[in-house]
Amino acid sequence: MRKYSVFAIAREALRGHKGWPAQWSSPEPKASYDVVIVGAGGHGLATAYYLASEYGITNIAVLDKGWLGGGNTGRNTTIIRSNYLYDESAGIYNHAMKLWDGLSQELNYNVMYSPRGVMMLAHNVHDVQVFKRHIHANRLNGVDNQWLSPEAAKAFCPPLNIAGNARYPIMGAALQRRGGTARHDAVAWGYARGAAARGVDIIQNCEVTGIRRGADGAVAGVETARGFIGASKVGVVAAGHSTVLMDMAGVRMPLESYPLQALVSEPVKPCFPCVVMSNTVHAYISQSDKGELVIGAGTDQYTSYSQTGGLHIIQHTLDAICEMFPMFTRMKMLRSWGGIVDVTPDRSPILAKTPVKGLYVNCGWGTGGFKATPGSGHVFAHTIARDEPHPINAPFTLERFRTGRLIDEAAAAAVAH
Amino acid sequence: MLLIHCPYCEEERPELEFRHAGEAHVARPVEITAESDEAFEGYFFIRANPRGIAYERWRHIHGCGRFFNAVRDTVSDRFFATYKAGRKKPDAAKFAGAATGGKDKR
């Protein structure tokens, strides 16, 4: 791996930029690996990266049926925050937050992490009470989050309409200043480049069609579109398709897959300083460095693998955006798309060992997995390398749906997941 | 937006009139307090979440208000059949030819 630096740029500028090497190679799969990761999204690539960089396991393949970062990693609205209610959630999301801080330096890759502040709007008395409860819980857990009056919210985000006669009145807001955004593609690319440089094979266009188990029931490898690949440890990091993958190993999951949509506007000059989320009316908005407004909508009501959603869902979100930010009423939307999100009953993820020896699963991030990418990969690598969970992901078991030890962020309603 | 045939109203209506109500044919245990933790987990939390033919409940909440069942392909979102609650679930083989069979046709 050639290090990126100002000197490298100067050298290549003189050579007409003809000497930049590929960021990762596309090797033929070997007959077997120590670890196979299924799914080359941010979480899967981060897992491989930390397995190689922190646990010295480099004989790894990361398989993807499409291209790397082509699933939900490339489809989300790139929001980063950690203001969840429960201690377990604070643990994992704040772990990610700490890793975001130095990630560009660690990866020698600009992931464009921008802690510009995430503001969550309260539109009614229930919102006010829920957000204040979250703020207190967050502060006990060392997570920054503060309450803003409507005027303070407007001062932080001037386009906000706080008029008393607004259709969705603003009664205040919760602000996490360390929250923000990062460039989603760069996160996948940076982890892919870092992992490949440490010897990890990233094999794209290689769909996993089966998980083979030995006579003792333990994992023996995966059947793929490019033949059988042996591995004594397999990590499934397949987001919306986790149920399908786990079915191959005979493990039934507490998951349902829903379409979630996002859209971007035409690019305009910088006009929107932060991330604003409104859970109550389902609108999430920020402005990318390219100038596009990045807008997130809600999920469709039915389960689907179609990677597309209903137009009325987007329409509802844009209604809300136009009400809250009247200056955007004449913005043109350029593109919209859908991703498939895997949702657990308690809206908290599953990062755990499974009843099958050698099979590990990292799934159930629902509509909000991007923010956790570095932390998720980091603790999942520990889980695979040591065959036991890291203290941070120890509560996020598959068994909690049997024991009843849920981490019920759904009921806590930190966000409409 | 989906167009859904309500088997009670006997007409196709826009999805906005309906509420999706989860997986169909999940029978509530008769003696729920006698269930083992494992069986309860299976009833309450575990879902088939199939890629392909799914059996699901819908409710015509802004219409007749009644629950009914549907067979839908979760890859194409196409409905194969809707039928009244309590009816036997149609055999998946009947729709296998028309379904995308879990394979993308992209």
Side-chain angles (χ1 to χ4, degrees), chain B residues 4 6 20 22 33 92 99 106:
Chain B
I4 304 173
C6 173
H20 186 258
T33 51
R106 280 176 291 164

CSV table of all heavy atoms in Angstrom, one decimal, chain B residues 4 6 20 22 33 92 99 106:
chain,number,residue,atom,x,y,z
B,4,ILE,N,-53.8,-3.3,-3.5
B,4,ILE,CA,-54.1,-4.5,-2.8
B,4,ILE,C,-55.6,-4.9,-2.9
B,4,ILE,O,-56.5,-4.0,-2.8
B,4,ILE,CB,-53.8,-4.3,-1.3
B,4,ILE,CG1,-52.3,-3.9,-1.2
B,4,ILE,CG2,-54.0,-5.6,-0.5
B,4,ILE,CD1,-51.9,-3.5,0.2
B,6,CYS,N,-58.8,-6.4,-1.4
B,6,CYS,CA,-59.4,-6.8,-0.1
B,6,CYS,C,-60.4,-7.9,-0.4
B,6,CYS,O,-61.3,-7.7,-1.2
B,6,CYS,CB,-60.0,-5.7,0.5
B,6,CYS,SG,-60.9,-6.2,2.0
B,20,HIS,N,-50.0,-3.2,7.1
B,20,HIS,CA,-49.3,-4.5,7.1
B,20,HIS,C,-49.3,-5.0,8.6
B,20,HIS,O,-49.1,-4.2,9.5
B,20,HIS,CB,-47.9,-4.3,6.6
B,20,HIS,CG,-47.2,-5.6,6.4
B,20,HIS,ND1,-46.2,-6.0,7.4
B,20,HIS,CD2,-47.2,-6.5,5.5
B,20,HIS,CE1,-45.7,-7.1,7.0
B,20,HIS,NE2,-46.3,-7.5,5.8
B,22,GLY,N,-47.8,-8.1,9.7
B,22,GLY,CA,-46.8,-9.1,10.0
B,22,GLY,C,-47.1,-10.5,9.4
B,22,GLY,O,-48.0,-10.6,8.6
B,33,THR,N,-48.9,-19.6,29.0
B,33,THR,CA,-48.0,-19.6,30.2
B,33,THR,C,-47.3,-20.9,30.3
B,33,THR,O,-46.3,-20.9,31.1
B,33,THR,CB,-48.9,-19.3,31.5
B,33,THR,OG1,-50.0,-20.3,31.4
B,33,THR,CG2,-49.4,-17.9,31.5
B,92,ALA,N,-47.5,-23.0,-1.6
B,92,ALA,CA,-46.5,-22.2,-2.3
B,92,ALA,C,-46.1,-22.6,-3.7
B,92,ALA,O,-45.8,-21.8,-4.5
B,92,ALA,CB,-45.2,-22.1,-1.4
B,99,ALA,N,-43.2,-16.7,-9.2
B,99,ALA,CA,-42.3,-16.0,-8.3
B,99,ALA,C,-40.9,-15.9,-8.9
B,99,ALA,O,-40.5,-16.7,-9.7
B,99,ALA,CB,-42.3,-16.7,-7.0
B,106,ARG,N,-32.7,-8.7,-12.2
B,106,ARG,CA,-32.1,-7.5,-12.6
B,106,ARG,C,-31.1,-7.7,-13.6
B,106,ARG,O,-30.4,-8.7,-13.6
B,106,ARG,CB,-31.5,-6.7,-11.4
B,106,ARG,CG,-32.6,-6.0,-10.6
B,106,ARG,CD,-31.9,-5.4,-9.4
B,106,ARG,NE,-31.5,-6.4,-8.4
B,106,ARG,CZ,-30.6,-6.2,-7.4
B,106,ARG,NH1,-30.1,-5.0,-7.3
B,106,ARG,NH2,-30.3,-7.2,-6.6
